Amino acid sequence: MPREMMFAEAIAVAITEEMQRDANVVFYGQNMAMTDRDPFVRKFGKDRVRITPISETAELGIAVGAAMMGLRPIVELYMSEFMLVAFDEVINEAPRLRYMSGGQVKVPTVFKAGFGFAAGWAGQHSNCIYGPLMGIPGLKVAVPSSAADALGLMKSAIRDDNPVVYLHHYMLMLDKCPVPDGDYLVPFGVADIKRAGTDVTIVATAWMVKKSLAAAETLAKEGISAEVIDPRTLSPLDTKTIIESVKKTGRLVLVDQAPKHASAAIVIAGEVAEQGFKYLKAPVKMVTALDTSVPYSEPMESFVLPSEEKIISAVKSVVGARVAAD
Amino acid sequence: MPNSSQLSRDRLIWMYTQMCRIREFEERVKRTFVEHPGVIRGHAHLADGAEASIVGCLATRQENDLVMPSYRCHGYPLVLGTPARALMAEIYQRKDGVCKGFGGSMHLADPTRHFPTASGIIGQGIAHAAGAAYAAQVKKTGQVIYSFFGDGSSKQGAFYETLNMAAVWKLPVVFVLENNEYQAYTHVSLEDANAKAGDPLSQKAKAFSIPGVTVDGTDPLKVYDAVGTAVDRARAGEGPSLIESKFYRMSPHGNAITVPPVPTQFQEHESIEVYGNKAEFEAAKKNDPIGKFRAHLIGNGTFADADAKKIEESVRAEMEDVVKFALASPLPSPADALNYVWA
């Protein structure tokens, strides 16, 4: 029997199961494990579960050093923007050391952070920073959109021998879905077709998957069949599944909460232009955030971010001709 | 651990030999820029002047203790037993290099000999060392981790964040701040609040409520004693210490930063090139740690002048062979570049 699980709970279950399985997995961050009543401290003790000061460079750098010496640290960063004050460790240390040493070391660590707030957190806590990360050789990026993927990707991230940035969207944290029983792993680099369709391919990540699925439901009522694909990991990126879908539908709408030039959408658009141009019956359409910081006030925030309506309108613009002809 | 007065004759001669090996290796790196232009690419940073400090520190090691230096990293692996041929071949961008030509001078690594990696970014390796110490603590290996960094690094956020966390977590790490008086091209008195006030840099330790000691880094025996105390403390589970080891970097920060075809060899030391202070450099040369230790060992009867000469000759012969080996080693194949991206 699959378990019904909340997104946030699924992440905690994944970490717990992996810590039970492997004594080298450690878990630390700010404002966690503050007392002996903490469930992780109770289960795994204060050596493996620790509270840290507000010191992201040290937190991530310590994870890199500990990973090289055989631990598998998970660093709880809470908000992806907090990673920015320690970006050297994320971009220029963790993914580089194996390569520069000629393969002599490995750095198995998970940098876990929430991202993408759309509940009025304004310019500095509402961002999608995966764009720059997915272009770093040696660094993997996981971006789950459901509780089941959240659990399976976290378990794979912890077992991966490379540094992994694991980003979970705030707006999905309370969403529930069934999670398969047993030791459930979601492999990296395998996109998931969240909804099958024939007229248009929509590729989206995280919260945008939810919005795209809602848009697809509405479109179905109007006779447009949209296929919704979630890459689940942006590095490695499963371009094959996307191209196969475009081969079938001939149309591609990319939905991404980041501003266009920092989005995963623009990278996918490039891959499809290079590898799948001959399958396209219409220009690729990107639904991304507008080129502003995220504003505080709700009407402005909604104006800037992608929405179900914007996705529907983009889909109609690429399938419009055919629908009219039908 | 026993103090330096109890070191055996063999150990003292070993220490002198290692100091000579570091100096000769660095001399050969420096000469390569003139004798074989283009063989060394990018930026190389030398440890001449640091020999007493490096050897005094590493003489306190137990077998499995780890060494995590900054990008000025040629000296430590020489002492740890990495073949000098593999180090020079790496610096010469060769396939037989210790990192197969993937790292170069700033990114040497030999984890099998307890030197996991070096970071080329100022101060970041301090956090990696604390991480290795965290692993040692969790796995209860009994290891002590030696973290080496320069005076410049001690103005990085990584330094403050890491020393605080290492103190709170009582990590088995010894932080060795190598104060060689210059942060790249800038004299320490221009960029360090302690130095500007005429105070030792070791007083930064007070901010973390850990021991902070300043030691004469041109005397390997004094370094041995100061670091030995810190190592004992770390191994006993009492947490980190900060040692400020003071010596003078005998070469400039690195080879000249230019673009081809402008020659990129080492210029005059910053004291002369930038500050026009020849007297400072001449005084440092008179205080050369190798000459001082040699005289000390002859003076106390550890060895005679002829023994010292024999060591120096054998070191010269070793490094002559090392240069020949590295020059003859093949370059990597271009497509080797695709290896080691992923584990």
Side-chain angles (χ1 to χ4, degrees), chain A residues 24 26 28 47-48 50-53 55-59 61-62 64-66 68-71 88-89 92-93 97-106 136-140 161-162 235, chain B residues 66 68 90 98-100 102-103 107 109-111 116-119 121 124 127-128 130-132 134-135 137-140 143 158 161-162 164-165 169 171 336-343:
Chain A
N24 288 321
V26 298
Y28 61 78
D47 259 1
R48 294 174 64 198
R50 290 194 184 185
I51 183 171
T52 69
S55 300
E56 285 81 8
T57 294
E59 292 168 53
I62 283 172
V64 170
M68 282 195 285
M69 299 322 299
L71 294 185
D88 179 67
E89 290 295 340
N92 217 12
E93 306 289 339
L97 294 176
R98 173 175 178 76
Y99 191 78
M100 294 195 304
S101 71
Q104 295 183 89
V105 297
K106 56 184 185 182
I136 304 296
L139 185 66
K140 295 189 177 180
D161 277 341
N162 299 281
S235 172
Chain B
L66 300 175
M68 312 266 299
E90 182 63 31
V98 70
C99 301
K100 307 178 190 77
F102 283 73
H107 311 294
D110 189 2
T117 52
S119 175
I121 304 297
Q124 299 298 318
H128 302 165
Y134 174 45
Q137 189 181 58
V138 171
K139 289 167 167 279
K140 300 183 171 50
Q143 287 165 299
E161 294 187 11
T162 303
N164 180 64
M165 257 175 91
W169 289 10
L171 296 178
D336 286 353
L338 299 176
N339 293 333
Y340 313 126
V341 176
W342 305 106

Side-chain angles (χ1 to χ4, degrees), chain A residues 1 4 117 120 123 126 128 136 156-157 165 188 210 266:
Chain A
M1 277 293 287
E4 181 88 358
F117 240 132
S126 303
C128 302
I136 304 296
S156 293
V165 174
F188 278 21
K210 188 178 178 180
I266 203 156

Side-chain angles (χ1 to χ4, degrees), chain B residues 151-212:
Chain B
D151 42 286
S153 291
S154 71
K155 262 64 68 184
Q156 271 287 331
F159 169 84
Y160 294 92
E161 294 187 11
T162 303
L163 265 69
N164 180 64
M165 257 175 91
V168 173
W169 289 10
K170 286 193 183 295
L171 296 178
V173 54
V174 177
F175 296 109
V176 182
L177 189 169
E178 298 175 329
N179 181 358
N180 62 25
E181 295 201 29
Y182 285 86
Q183 171 258 82
Y185 313 101
T186 304
H187 192 266
V188 66
S189 63
L190 297 172
E191 54 85 32
D192 186 284
N194 303 130
K196 195 173 164 74
D199 290 327
L201 272 60
S202 59
Q203 77 172 30
K204 295 179 198 304
K206 285 184 187 167
F208 315 107
S209 304
I210 61 172

Side-chain angles (χ1 to χ4, degrees), chain B residues 24-314:
Chain B
E24 184 64 14
F25 185 90
E26 299 295 50
E27 286 297 325
R28 295 309 299 253
V29 172
K30 202 173 187 174
R31 272 170 56 185
T32 301
F33 285 93
V34 179
E35 293 169 358
H36 308 286
V39 163
I40 304 178
R41 314 184 76 217
H43 215 194
H45 309 80
L46 307 183
D48 45 346
E51 297 89 348
S53 182
I54 292 171
V55 175
C57 285
L58 298 191
T60 63
R61 273 183 75 245
Q62 286 185 7
E63 178 55 29
N64 291 318
D65 292 344
L66 300 175
V67 176
M68 312 266 299
S70 74
Y71 55 81
R72 194 178 296 281
C73 60
H74 303 171
Y76 316 92
L78 282 168
V79 181
L80 291 171
T82 305
R85 282 177 158 196
L87 295 169
M88 195 64 91
E90 182 63 31
I91 295 165
Y92 285 12
Q93 48 175 320
R94 307 296 164 143
K95 205 180 174 80
D96 296 311
V98 70
C99 301
K100 307 178 190 77
F102 283 73
S105 164
M106 292 190 281
H107 311 294
L108 300 175
D110 189 2
T112 58
R113 293 185 180 81
H114 307 101
F115 168 24
T117 52
S119 175
I121 304 297
I122 301 264
Q124 299 298 318
I126 303 172
H128 302 165
Y134 174 45
Q137 189 181 58
V138 171
K139 289 167 167 279
K140 300 183 171 50
T141 62
Q143 287 165 299
V144 170
I145 285 71
Y146 293 67
S147 171
F148 294 96
F149 50 91
D151 42 286
S153 291
S154 71
K155 262 64 68 184
Q156 271 287 331
F159 169 84
Y160 294 92
E161 294 187 11
T162 303
L163 265 69
N164 180 64
M165 257 175 91
V168 173
W169 289 10
K170 286 193 183 295
L171 296 178
V173 54
V174 177
F175 296 109
V176 182
L177 189 169
E178 298 175 329
N179 181 358
N180 62 25
E181 295 201 29
Y182 285 86
Q183 171 258 82
Y185 313 101
T186 304
H187 192 266
V188 66
S189 63
L190 297 172
E191 54 85 32
D192 186 284
N194 303 130
K196 195 173 164 74
D199 290 327
L201 272 60
S202 59
Q203 77 172 30
K204 295 179 198 304
K206 285 184 187 167
F208 315 107
S209 304
I210 61 172
V213 177
T214 295
V215 65
D216 176 2
T218 67
D219 182 338
L221 304 179
K222 286 182 180 155
V223 172
Y224 177 91
D225 287 329
V227 172
T229 303
V231 168
D232 285 345
R233 176 181 149 84
R235 212 179 307 277
E238 291 164 23
S241 307
L242 176 65
I243 309 288
E244 178 196 14
S245 178
K246 284 194 78 169
F247 55 83
Y248 197 86
R249 162 157 63 63
M250 306 300 288
S251 290
H253 172 60
N255 52 304
I257 301 175
T258 63
V259 287
V262 178
T264 178
Q265 61 248 47
F266 279 78
Q267 295 165 311
E268 291 258 53
H269 191 275
E270 291 83 8
S271 57
I272 301 165
E273 187 80 17
V274 180
Y275 301 91
N277 189 350
K278 204 166 171 127
E280 176 190 293
F281 187 70
E282 291 304 321
K285 265 172 47 180
K286 282 206 186 79
N287 195 37
D288 188 316
I290 293 181
K292 281 204 307 183
F293 194 46
R294 188 183 197 275
H296 171 79
L297 294 180
I298 291 172
N300 72 7
T302 303
F303 60 24
D305 182 68
D307 302 317
K309 281 203 176 101
K310 215 177 271 176
I311 291 168
E312 292 147 16
E313 272 162 32
S314 91

